[in-house]
Amino acid sequence: MRFTRFSIAAAALIALAACAPPGQQAETGAGATGPIKIANVNAQSGQLSSLGQWEHKGVKLAIDEANKAGGVNGRQIKLDLFDSQGDPTVGTNVARKIAAEGYIAMLGTAESAVTLAMAPILKDAKIPNITSGQSPKLAELKSPFLFLNAPTSVTFDETLAEYLVDEKGHKKIALISNNGAYGAGEHDAFLTSLKTRNVTPVADEVVTPDQKDFNSNLAKIREQDPDVLFIGAEEVQSGLIAKQARELGIEAVFAGGAPMGTDVYATTAGLKNAEGSVVSSPYLSNEASEPIKEFAAKYKAAYNEEARMHVAKAYDGASILIEALKQTNGEGGQKLADAIRGVKRAGLLGDYNYDANGVGIHETKIGLVKDGKVVPEAAS
């Protein structure tokens, strides 16, 4: 496997190379016999690097297993890792490089904004992409070459609203979210779910993705004394918000999507501050089923760390791609995209059944943070 940290300075050369018509690179057709080139694009540096590193490990585990078992109908998979740095500009340049160098599929990214920037280039090049992003805008693209290995924020936040409002009866709910692709998607989806229940937030604060001091935003929220504080942000920022909220004396229950189910969130917030946070996620525990237990055990054996949702969904995405490649005998383009859409798989996150918008999972569950880890709500 090769690791590439891509430089923006190379963009001009790549743009020229990318002018070759799709499908003209060697070893990509049905009669090809060489290695199948797959790109894995995820942040390996920057604030979102923890996501990218988890995603890469999940992908690599699935690819290594497939290659050990004979690859795709006898052909090995060549997996190359590219560092998107969590930057949409870097992502677009990586997309041009992938298109120019004969990669027939891409796995990643975990960052919705980066995936959104890359999607038009990959669509034009007819390169299927299985992403871990969950912004509803990804589904709204309706690209025939873009597939999600997890639900969109719409599903995450409808489940959350159902639990908080319908089951627990909370009405005094405040929101704080960033205006990046992920945060905006979370904000809009949760707000829509609240509106259908005739609940108006007592506060609705919007911050920037790189903001680190939230005291002025949280002071406004504190004035409203909410029962619940919904946090729509990535792992580190969610943790910082939770930490600063508690320091300001806000006693509301914290609630949010998958980022709040990670150890990065819990350690950033502080275990005491994170305790009791409500998490909506399709993957809550490494003990949820026998297949998940087996996966978690082999992941720990390979990497000497505990598995988590980001690892599992990357593994699911790579497994779906491998299954589709076997159906096309390693051929890419529209044929591979159609095969991916047709895959029905009982995955670690749930039962995959892709719809017309490329969304494969349509359900999440509720968990609570206990001692820095998420446990299913029913078991809490």
Side-chain angles (χ1 to χ4, degrees):
M1 185 206 73
R2 181 183 71 190
F3 171 75
T4 302
R5 180 166 182 173
F6 187 72
S7 170
I8 298 176
L13 291 176
I14 290 168
L16 291 173
C19 292
Q24 287 194 2
Q25 294 85 3
E27 300 291 352
T28 59
T33 57
I36 298 170
K37 293 176 66 175
I38 304 298
N40 179 19
V41 182
N42 271 299
Q44 302 298 297
S45 58
Q47 183 167 300
L48 300 178
S49 60
S50 57
L51 276 72
Q53 290 162 12
W54 293 332
E55 295 274 334
H56 172 59
K57 290 172 183 176
V59 166
K60 189 174 185 300
L61 184 61
I63 298 297
D64 286 348
E65 288 176 352
N67 281 337
K68 187 176 180 180
V72 175
N73 303 336
R75 295 174 65 189
Q76 291 289 286
I77 299 171
K78 184 178 185 293
L79 179 69
D80 290 334
L81 174 63
F82 297 85
D83 182 8
S84 69
Q85 301 172 41
D87 185 326
T89 301
V90 175
T92 57
N93 294 328
V94 173
R96 295 187 184 102
K97 182 177 180 66
I98 290 170
E101 295 190 357
Y103 292 89
I104 70 166
M106 174 183 139
L107 295 164
T109 69
E111 313 101 37
S112 294
V114 178
T115 302
L116 285 166
M118 298 178 75
I121 298 168
L122 298 174
K123 178 182 177 183
D124 289 345
K126 300 186 186 304
I127 298 175
N129 172 203
I130 300 180
T131 177
S132 290
Q134 62 189 58
S135 169
K137 291 183 179 180
L138 294 166
E140 291 167 8
L141 290 176
K142 300 184 184 297
S143 169
F145 294 93
L146 182 61
F147 304 89
L148 282 66
N149 58 18
T152 69
S153 296
V154 172
T155 299
F156 280 86
D157 296 328
E158 174 60 22
T159 301
L160 200 59
E162 181 179 313
Y163 174 77
L164 293 170
V165 179
D166 300 349
E167 294 187 26
K168 296 299 181 180
H170 292 298
K171 301 292 185 181
K172 293 184 67 177
I173 300 174
L175 282 63
I176 182 168
S177 52
N178 72 43
N179 56 8
Y182 172 75
E186 285 290 293
H187 170 273
D188 294 350
F190 189 62
L191 188 61
T192 296
S193 291
L194 291 182
K195 286 182 177 178
T196 63
R197 292 165 170 81
N198 296 316
V199 174
T200 300
V202 296
D204 187 355
E205 291 293 307
V206 178
V207 301
T208 62
D210 57 354
Q211 190 169 328
K212 294 180 174 60
D213 184 343
F214 309 97
N215 282 286
S216 62
N217 305 95
L218 292 169
K220 297 175 186 177
I221 290 172
R222 182 178 58 185
E223 292 177 0
Q224 303 304 318
D225 191 25
D227 297 328
V228 175
L229 177 57
F230 171 83
I231 303 175
E234 291 81 359
E235 285 77 0
V236 173
Q237 191 172 62
S238 291
L240 290 173
I241 290 170
K243 181 176 185 292
Q244 292 173 32
R246 289 290 185 253
E247 290 172 348
L248 284 176
I250 295 174
E251 298 179 353
V253 172
F254 299 137
M260 293 176 63
T262 66
D263 53 352
V264 172
Y265 163 74
T267 55
T268 304
L271 296 185
K272 183 178 179 181
N273 296 330
E275 187 74 7
S277 295
V278 179
V279 181
S280 174
S281 175
Y283 186 99
L284 295 175
S285 166
N286 289 333
E287 304 293 324
S289 67
E290 285 305 316
I292 288 176
K293 289 179 183 179
E294 293 173 8
F295 163 75
K298 66 185 178 183
Y299 178 81
K300 188 168 186 177
Y303 295 108
N304 195 32
E305 64 182 33
E306 299 296 328
R308 62 205 81 204
M309 194 269 285
H310 283 286
V311 174
K313 69 177 178 176
Y315 182 90
D316 275 351
S319 299
I320 289 167
L321 175 60
I322 292 164
E323 185 173 336
L325 283 167
K326 289 179 179 178
Q327 293 177 21
T328 69
N329 198 31
E331 187 174 350
Q334 186 66 59
K335 188 172 182 180
L336 179 57
D338 292 342
I340 293 171
R341 193 176 304 279
V343 169
K344 305 290 188 292
R345 181 180 179 84
L348 300 168
L349 269 66
D351 294 329
Y352 285 85
N353 184 15
Y354 281 104
D355 62 20
N357 297 332
V359 181
I361 294 285
H362 307 275
E363 180 183 2
T364 64
K365 307 174 185 69
I366 293 295
L368 302 178
V369 177
K370 297 291 184 183
D371 298 321
K373 294 184 178 181
V374 177
V375 297
E377 192 274 344
S380 63

